[in-house]
mmCIF file with all atom_site columns, all heavy atoms in Angstrom:
data_model
loop_
_atom_site.group_PDB
_atom_site.id
_atom_site.type_symbol
_atom_site.label_atom_id
_atom_site.label_alt_id
_atom_site.label_comp_id
_atom_site.label_asym_id
_atom_site.label_entity_id
_atom_site.label_seq_id
_atom_site.pdbx_PDB_ins_code
_atom_site.Cartn_x
_atom_site.Cartn_y
_atom_site.Cartn_z
_atom_site.occupancy
_atom_site.B_iso_or_equiv
_atom_site.pdbx_formal_charge
_atom_site.auth_seq_id
_atom_site.auth_comp_id
_atom_site.auth_asym_id
_atom_site.auth_atom_id
_atom_site.pdbx_PDB_model_num
ATOM 1   N N   . PRO A 1 48  ? 18.050  -20.471 -14.178 1.00 92.00 ? 344 PRO A N   1
ATOM 2   C CA  . PRO A 1 48  ? 18.778  -19.509 -13.347 1.00 92.00 ? 344 PRO A CA  1
ATOM 3   C C   . PRO A 1 48  ? 17.928  -18.380 -12.769 1.00 92.00 ? 344 PRO A C   1
ATOM 4   O O   . PRO A 1 48  ? 18.358  -17.711 -11.841 1.00 92.00 ? 344 PRO A O   1
ATOM 5   C CB  . PRO A 1 48  ? 19.822  -18.937 -14.302 1.00 92.00 ? 344 PRO A CB  1
ATOM 6   C CG  . PRO A 1 48  ? 19.242  -19.126 -15.656 1.00 92.00 ? 344 PRO A CG  1
ATOM 7   C CD  . PRO A 1 48  ? 18.422  -20.364 -15.599 1.00 92.00 ? 344 PRO A CD  1
ATOM 8   N N   . LEU A 1 49  ? 16.713  -18.137 -13.324 1.00 87.00 ? 345 LEU A N   1
ATOM 9   C CA  . LEU A 1 49  ? 15.898  -17.021 -12.834 1.00 87.00 ? 345 LEU A CA  1
ATOM 10  C C   . LEU A 1 49  ? 14.467  -17.464 -12.617 1.00 87.00 ? 345 LEU A C   1
ATOM 11  O O   . LEU A 1 49  ? 13.942  -18.276 -13.365 1.00 87.00 ? 345 LEU A O   1
ATOM 12  C CB  . LEU A 1 49  ? 15.852  -15.885 -13.869 1.00 87.00 ? 345 LEU A CB  1
ATOM 13  C CG  . LEU A 1 49  ? 17.111  -15.121 -14.223 1.00 87.00 ? 345 LEU A CG  1
ATOM 14  C CD1 . LEU A 1 49  ? 16.818  -14.153 -15.353 1.00 87.00 ? 345 LEU A CD1 1
ATOM 15  C CD2 . LEU A 1 49  ? 17.641  -14.356 -13.024 1.00 87.00 ? 345 LEU A CD2 1
ATOM 16  N N   . LYS A 1 77  ? 5.124   -21.596 -5.188  1.00 90.00 ? 373 LYS A N   1
ATOM 17  C CA  . LYS A 1 77  ? 5.013   -23.047 -5.288  1.00 90.00 ? 373 LYS A CA  1
ATOM 18  C C   . LYS A 1 77  ? 3.646   -23.401 -5.835  1.00 90.00 ? 373 LYS A C   1
ATOM 19  O O   . LYS A 1 77  ? 2.630   -23.103 -5.217  1.00 90.00 ? 373 LYS A O   1
ATOM 20  C CB  . LYS A 1 77  ? 5.221   -23.703 -3.919  1.00 90.00 ? 373 LYS A CB  1
ATOM 21  C CG  . LYS A 1 77  ? 6.672   -23.648 -3.469  1.00 90.00 ? 373 LYS A CG  1
ATOM 22  C CD  . LYS A 1 77  ? 6.918   -24.457 -2.214  1.00 90.00 ? 373 LYS A CD  1
ATOM 23  C CE  . LYS A 1 77  ? 8.386   -24.440 -1.814  1.00 90.00 ? 373 LYS A CE  1
ATOM 24  N NZ  . LYS A 1 77  ? 9.002   -23.125 -1.829  1.00 90.00 ? 373 LYS A NZ  1
ATOM 25  N N   . ALA A 1 218 ? 6.375   -7.324  -22.414 1.00 91.00 ? 514 ALA A N   1
ATOM 26  C CA  . ALA A 1 218 ? 5.199   -7.424  -23.297 1.00 91.00 ? 514 ALA A CA  1
ATOM 27  C C   . ALA A 1 218 ? 4.994   -6.123  -24.075 1.00 91.00 ? 514 ALA A C   1
ATOM 28  O O   . ALA A 1 218 ? 4.589   -6.128  -25.243 1.00 91.00 ? 514 ALA A O   1
ATOM 29  C CB  . ALA A 1 218 ? 3.960   -7.767  -22.483 1.00 91.00 ? 514 ALA A CB  1
ATOM 30  N N   . GLY A 1 286 ? 26.610  5.841   -26.114 1.00 92.00 ? 582 GLY A N   1
ATOM 31  C CA  . GLY A 1 286 ? 26.904  6.676   -24.940 1.00 92.00 ? 582 GLY A CA  1
ATOM 32  C C   . GLY A 1 286 ? 28.399  6.900   -24.792 1.00 92.00 ? 582 GLY A C   1
ATOM 33  O O   . GLY A 1 286 ? 29.110  7.143   -25.765 1.00 92.00 ? 582 GLY A O   1
ATOM 34  N N   . VAL A 1 335 ? 38.397  -31.977 -5.000  1.00 91.00 ? 631 VAL A N   1
ATOM 35  C CA  . VAL A 1 335 ? 39.137  -32.371 -6.206  1.00 91.00 ? 631 VAL A CA  1
ATOM 36  C C   . VAL A 1 335 ? 39.584  -31.138 -6.983  1.00 91.00 ? 631 VAL A C   1
ATOM 37  O O   . VAL A 1 335 ? 39.048  -30.051 -6.798  1.00 91.00 ? 631 VAL A O   1
ATOM 38  C CB  . VAL A 1 335 ? 38.275  -33.262 -7.159  1.00 91.00 ? 631 VAL A CB  1
ATOM 39  C CG1 . VAL A 1 335 ? 37.943  -34.589 -6.535  1.00 91.00 ? 631 VAL A CG1 1
ATOM 40  C CG2 . VAL A 1 335 ? 37.028  -32.528 -7.606  1.00 91.00 ? 631 VAL A CG2 1
ATOM 41  N N   . VAL A 1 415 ? 3.966   -7.315  6.778   1.00 96.00 ? 711 VAL A N   1
ATOM 42  C CA  . VAL A 1 415 ? 3.223   -7.381  5.522   1.00 96.00 ? 711 VAL A CA  1
ATOM 43  C C   . VAL A 1 415 ? 2.414   -6.099  5.324   1.00 96.00 ? 711 VAL A C   1
ATOM 44  O O   . VAL A 1 415 ? 2.346   -5.545  4.234   1.00 96.00 ? 711 VAL A O   1
ATOM 45  C CB  . VAL A 1 415 ? 2.328   -8.649  5.485   1.00 96.00 ? 711 VAL A CB  1
ATOM 46  C CG1 . VAL A 1 415 ? 1.347   -8.603  4.333   1.00 96.00 ? 711 VAL A CG1 1
ATOM 47  C CG2 . VAL A 1 415 ? 3.196   -9.902  5.399   1.00 96.00 ? 711 VAL A CG2 1
ATOM 48  N N   . SER A 1 442 ? 6.594   -17.234 3.746   1.00 95.00 ? 738 SER A N   1
ATOM 49  C CA  . SER A 1 442 ? 5.314   -17.955 3.702   1.00 95.00 ? 738 SER A CA  1
ATOM 50  C C   . SER A 1 442 ? 5.418   -19.259 2.905   1.00 95.00 ? 738 SER A C   1
ATOM 51  O O   . SER A 1 442 ? 4.572   -20.138 3.022   1.00 95.00 ? 738 SER A O   1
ATOM 52  C CB  . SER A 1 442 ? 4.218   -17.068 3.112   1.00 95.00 ? 738 SER A CB  1
ATOM 53  O OG  . SER A 1 442 ? 4.410   -16.897 1.727   1.00 95.00 ? 738 SER A OG  1
ATOM 54  N N   . PRO A 1 445 ? 8.268   -24.529 4.391   1.00 90.00 ? 741 PRO A N   1
ATOM 55  C CA  . PRO A 1 445 ? 7.411   -25.501 5.072   1.00 90.00 ? 741 PRO A CA  1
ATOM 56  C C   . PRO A 1 445 ? 7.519   -25.365 6.589   1.00 90.00 ? 741 PRO A C   1
ATOM 57  O O   . PRO A 1 445 ? 8.619   -25.351 7.150   1.00 90.00 ? 741 PRO A O   1
ATOM 58  C CB  . PRO A 1 445 ? 7.971   -26.855 4.619   1.00 90.00 ? 741 PRO A CB  1
ATOM 59  C CG  . PRO A 1 445 ? 8.910   -26.577 3.504   1.00 90.00 ? 741 PRO A CG  1
ATOM 60  C CD  . PRO A 1 445 ? 9.273   -25.135 3.526   1.00 90.00 ? 741 PRO A CD  1
ATOM 61  N N   . LYS A 1 475 ? 4.241   5.121   -17.294 1.00 91.00 ? 771 LYS A N   1
ATOM 62  C CA  . LYS A 1 475 ? 3.860   6.535   -17.273 1.00 91.00 ? 771 LYS A CA  1
ATOM 63  C C   . LYS A 1 475 ? 5.100   7.421   -17.423 1.00 91.00 ? 771 LYS A C   1
ATOM 64  O O   . LYS A 1 475 ? 5.085   8.421   -18.107 1.00 91.00 ? 771 LYS A O   1
ATOM 65  C CB  . LYS A 1 475 ? 3.174   6.824   -15.935 1.00 91.00 ? 771 LYS A CB  1
ATOM 66  C CG  . LYS A 1 475 ? 2.161   7.939   -15.991 1.00 91.00 ? 771 LYS A CG  1
ATOM 67  C CD  . LYS A 1 475 ? 1.310   7.897   -14.745 1.00 91.00 ? 771 LYS A CD  1
ATOM 68  C CE  . LYS A 1 475 ? 0.693   9.241   -14.454 1.00 91.00 ? 771 LYS A CE  1
ATOM 69  N NZ  . LYS A 1 475 ? -0.110  9.176   -13.235 1.00 91.00 ? 771 LYS A NZ  1
ATOM 70  N N   . ARG A 1 480 ? 2.703   7.643   -24.434 1.00 73.00 ? 776 ARG A N   1
ATOM 71  C CA  . ARG A 1 480 ? 1.698   6.821   -25.117 1.00 73.00 ? 776 ARG A CA  1
ATOM 72  C C   . ARG A 1 480 ? 1.345   7.374   -26.493 1.00 73.00 ? 776 ARG A C   1
ATOM 73  O O   . ARG A 1 480 ? 1.251   6.657   -27.473 1.00 73.00 ? 776 ARG A O   1
ATOM 74  C CB  . ARG A 1 480 ? 0.414   6.760   -24.269 1.00 73.00 ? 776 ARG A CB  1
ATOM 75  C CG  . ARG A 1 480 ? 0.467   5.689   -23.224 1.00 73.00 ? 776 ARG A CG  1
ATOM 76  C CD  . ARG A 1 480 ? 0.386   4.356   -23.875 1.00 73.00 ? 776 ARG A CD  1
ATOM 77  N NE  . ARG A 1 480 ? 0.360   3.290   -22.890 1.00 73.00 ? 776 ARG A NE  1
ATOM 78  C CZ  . ARG A 1 480 ? 0.686   2.059   -23.171 1.00 73.00 ? 776 ARG A CZ  1
ATOM 79  N NH1 . ARG A 1 480 ? 1.095   1.746   -24.367 1.00 73.00 ? 776 ARG A NH1 1
ATOM 80  N NH2 . ARG A 1 480 ? 0.624   1.121   -22.265 1.00 73.00 ? 776 ARG A NH2 1
ATOM 81  N N   . GLU A 1 496 ? -6.399  6.822   -36.897 1.00 67.00 ? 792 GLU A N   1
ATOM 82  C CA  . GLU A 1 496 ? -7.780  7.282   -36.760 1.00 67.00 ? 792 GLU A CA  1
ATOM 83  C C   . GLU A 1 496 ? -7.756  8.730   -36.272 1.00 67.00 ? 792 GLU A C   1
ATOM 84  O O   . GLU A 1 496 ? -7.274  8.989   -35.185 1.00 67.00 ? 792 GLU A O   1
ATOM 85  C CB  . GLU A 1 496 ? -8.502  6.418   -35.716 1.00 67.00 ? 792 GLU A CB  1
ATOM 86  C CG  . GLU A 1 496 ? -8.747  4.984   -36.172 1.00 67.00 ? 792 GLU A CG  1
ATOM 87  C CD  . GLU A 1 496 ? -9.614  4.921   -37.417 1.00 67.00 ? 792 GLU A CD  1
ATOM 88  O OE1 . GLU A 1 496 ? -10.658 5.602   -37.437 1.00 67.00 ? 792 GLU A OE1 1
ATOM 89  O OE2 . GLU A 1 496 ? -9.241  4.209   -38.364 1.00 67.00 ? 792 GLU A OE2 1
ATOM 90  N N   . PHE A 1 546 ? -9.464  18.861  -45.260 1.00 79.00 ? 842 PHE A N   1
ATOM 91  C CA  . PHE A 1 546 ? -9.317  20.081  -46.057 1.00 79.00 ? 842 PHE A CA  1
ATOM 92  C C   . PHE A 1 546 ? -10.191 20.012  -47.315 1.00 79.00 ? 842 PHE A C   1
ATOM 93  O O   . PHE A 1 546 ? -10.859 20.969  -47.680 1.00 79.00 ? 842 PHE A O   1
ATOM 94  C CB  . PHE A 1 546 ? -7.843  20.287  -46.458 1.00 79.00 ? 842 PHE A CB  1
ATOM 95  C CG  . PHE A 1 546 ? -7.014  20.985  -45.399 1.00 79.00 ? 842 PHE A CG  1
ATOM 96  C CD1 . PHE A 1 546 ? -5.661  20.686  -45.208 1.00 79.00 ? 842 PHE A CD1 1
ATOM 97  C CD2 . PHE A 1 546 ? -7.582  21.964  -44.593 1.00 79.00 ? 842 PHE A CD2 1
ATOM 98  C CE1 . PHE A 1 546 ? -4.905  21.338  -44.240 1.00 79.00 ? 842 PHE A CE1 1
ATOM 99  C CE2 . PHE A 1 546 ? -6.834  22.618  -43.628 1.00 79.00 ? 842 PHE A CE2 1
ATOM 100 C CZ  . PHE A 1 546 ? -5.498  22.299  -43.447 1.00 79.00 ? 842 PHE A CZ  1
ATOM 101 N N   . ARG A 1 549 ? -13.762 20.467  -46.347 1.00 82.00 ? 845 ARG A N   1
ATOM 102 C CA  . ARG A 1 549 ? -14.044 21.852  -45.940 1.00 82.00 ? 845 ARG A CA  1
ATOM 103 C C   . ARG A 1 549 ? -14.135 22.775  -47.158 1.00 82.00 ? 845 ARG A C   1
ATOM 104 O O   . ARG A 1 549 ? -14.972 23.674  -47.210 1.00 82.00 ? 845 ARG A O   1
ATOM 105 C CB  . ARG A 1 549 ? -12.962 22.371  -44.982 1.00 82.00 ? 845 ARG A CB  1
ATOM 106 C CG  . ARG A 1 549 ? -13.156 21.859  -43.584 1.00 82.00 ? 845 ARG A CG  1
ATOM 107 C CD  . ARG A 1 549 ? -12.370 22.639  -42.549 1.00 82.00 ? 845 ARG A CD  1
ATOM 108 N NE  . ARG A 1 549 ? -12.758 22.124  -41.234 1.00 82.00 ? 845 ARG A NE  1
ATOM 109 C CZ  . ARG A 1 549 ? -12.511 22.712  -40.085 1.00 82.00 ? 845 ARG A CZ  1
ATOM 110 N NH1 . ARG A 1 549 ? -11.858 23.845  -40.069 1.00 82.00 ? 845 ARG A NH1 1
ATOM 111 N NH2 . ARG A 1 549 ? -12.920 22.195  -38.960 1.00 82.00 ? 845 ARG A NH2 1
ATOM 112 N N   . LEU A 1 593 ? -5.578  32.617  -45.550 1.00 81.00 ? 889 LEU A N   1
ATOM 113 C CA  . LEU A 1 593 ? -4.951  32.058  -44.343 1.00 81.00 ? 889 LEU A CA  1
ATOM 114 C C   . LEU A 1 593 ? -5.173  30.540  -44.392 1.00 81.00 ? 889 LEU A C   1
ATOM 115 O O   . LEU A 1 593 ? -6.155  30.016  -43.866 1.00 81.00 ? 889 LEU A O   1
ATOM 116 C CB  . LEU A 1 593 ? -5.595  32.638  -43.078 1.00 81.00 ? 889 LEU A CB  1
ATOM 117 C CG  . LEU A 1 593 ? -5.440  34.154  -42.900 1.00 81.00 ? 889 LEU A CG  1
ATOM 118 C CD1 . LEU A 1 593 ? -6.173  34.623  -41.655 1.00 81.00 ? 889 LEU A CD1 1
ATOM 119 C CD2 . LEU A 1 593 ? -3.967  34.558  -42.803 1.00 81.00 ? 889 LEU A CD2 1
ATOM 120 N N   . LEU A 1 598 ? -3.511  22.771  -48.291 1.00 77.00 ? 894 LEU A N   1
ATOM 121 C CA  . LEU A 1 598 ? -4.697  23.075  -49.109 1.00 77.00 ? 894 LEU A CA  1
ATOM 122 C C   . LEU A 1 598 ? -4.151  23.397  -50.503 1.00 77.00 ? 894 LEU A C   1
ATOM 123 O O   . LEU A 1 598 ? -3.590  24.462  -50.725 1.00 77.00 ? 894 LEU A O   1
ATOM 124 C CB  . LEU A 1 598 ? -5.444  24.279  -48.512 1.00 77.00 ? 894 LEU A CB  1
ATOM 125 C CG  . LEU A 1 598 ? -6.754  24.648  -49.214 1.00 77.00 ? 894 LEU A CG  1
ATOM 126 C CD1 . LEU A 1 598 ? -7.790  23.557  -49.067 1.00 77.00 ? 894 LEU A CD1 1
ATOM 127 C CD2 . LEU A 1 598 ? -7.305  25.956  -48.664 1.00 77.00 ? 894 LEU A CD2 1
#
Side-chain angles (χ1 to χ4, degrees):
L345 295 175
K373 288 188 178 47
V631 294
V711 169
S738 72
K771 209 166 157 181
R776 275 289 183 201
E792 291 299 312
F842 276 147
R845 281 196 174 195
L889 297 177
L894 184 65

